[in-house]
Amino acid sequence: MFPSVAEAVCAQSALRDQLDLADSRATAPEFVAGLDVSYEVDSQYAAAAAVLIELRTLEVRETAIAYGEVTFPYVPGLLAFREVPILREALVKLAGRPDVLVCDGYGIAHPRRFGLACHIGVLTGLPSFGVAKSPFGMEFVDPGPQRGDWSPIIDDGEVLGRVLRTQTGIKPVFVSVGHRVGLDQATELTLKLSREFRLPEAIRKADFLSREELRRRRGVG
């Protein structure tokens, strides 16, 4: 996508100027698309999955897969340049239009305040937020043990997200806004999407489908 890391950093900065961190919806979305990418071992190829689910029932309405070569190198803080192209390929294959995107990754809780969820939100124009499984060098304290307990993610005194307990007694996830979504809304949506498991259902299913695609291509199972 970009021939050099320096150019990618410049592009990231330009895209960040288009970021909208205000709530864009007065009501809860009806359809959410979960996005995730799985990589082949010792290969430059990856599979991306987009899973459209109905928020009220968590029923899967549609799925789409993209498979291809990832040309941008792995550079911390620039993951979006590896994943956004193939994620967009999967996303455009969906016949239905999601009201919001949820990504396996970060939004503004990022060294340059522009993670994967911000990047794909700006490029698609869709509201987006990120839910990550592990911290990314930010300050936080563990939230309380009950479902719904949270504590702030802080960097240089700035609140960038929340450490959220989605299931009682289970380790938390890391929520940050991407584009056109507020932090309260992202937190509420994460809990609605995580009724039975630690991770939001849309991400869980996207992760499963992307891994299944890699297994299918290897002829396993």
Side-chain angles (χ1 to χ4, degrees):
M1 189 176 187
F2 288 90
S4 73
V5 169
E7 287 181 318
V9 171
C10 289
Q12 189 178 64
S13 178
L15 288 169
R16 188 175 62 235
D17 292 339
Q18 302 175 42
L19 203 58
D20 181 356
L21 300 181
D23 283 341
S24 64
R25 302 182 60 86
T27 59
E30 185 177 0
F31 295 104
V32 177
L35 305 174
D36 199 14
V37 176
S38 293
Y39 293 88
E40 286 186 348
V41 178
D42 299 324
S43 167
Q44 287 294 103
Y45 284 82
V51 176
L52 188 69
I53 70 170
E54 183 180 7
L55 182 61
R56 183 179 60 84
T57 63
L58 298 189
E59 177 184 343
V60 174
R61 290 301 184 90
E62 192 181 354
T63 65
I65 295 285
Y67 176 84
E69 185 177 8
V70 176
T71 58
F72 196 83
Y74 174 75
V75 180
L78 294 175
L79 179 66
F81 290 91
R82 286 174 63 82
E83 298 197 347
V84 164
I86 195 168
L87 284 171
R88 291 184 75 184
E89 283 185 38
L91 194 55
V92 298
K93 291 181 179 180
L94 294 176
R97 179 178 173 84
D99 298 308
V100 64
L101 307 176
V102 55
C103 304
D104 179 8
Y106 279 97
I108 64 168
H110 177 275
R112 288 182 292 276
R113 310 299 188 255
F114 198 79
L116 173 66
C118 301
H119 200 125
I120 199 163
V122 167
L123 290 183
T124 62
L126 291 169
S128 60
F129 66 101
V131 180
K133 295 184 284 290
S134 57
F136 191 22
M138 309 291 180
E139 298 176 21
F140 69 92
V141 296
D142 279 338
Q146 301 300 312
R147 171 178 160 86
D149 288 344
W150 61 267
S151 61
I153 299 172
I154 300 173
D155 187 48
D156 290 334
E158 183 180 2
V159 175
L160 300 178
R162 288 175 181 168
V163 187
L164 176 65
R165 192 84 63 184
T166 56
Q167 299 296 326
T168 297
I170 302 297
K171 62 183 180 179
V173 296
F174 300 81
V175 179
S176 56
V177 301
H179 182 59
R180 300 177 60 210
V181 172
L183 188 53
D184 285 344
Q185 187 181 36
T187 302
E188 180 183 358
L189 288 173
T190 301
L191 288 171
K192 286 182 176 180
L193 290 164
S194 308
R195 294 175 194 171
E196 297 183 33
F197 301 97
R198 177 186 176 226
L199 295 178
E201 196 65 12
I203 292 178
R204 286 184 68 251
K205 286 186 164 58
D207 174 70
F208 175 79
L209 286 175
S210 61
R211 293 177 188 273
E212 280 292 296
E213 177 66 12
L214 295 184
R215 283 192 285 269
R216 185 187 71 80
R217 289 180 176 271
R218 291 196 305 268
V220 176

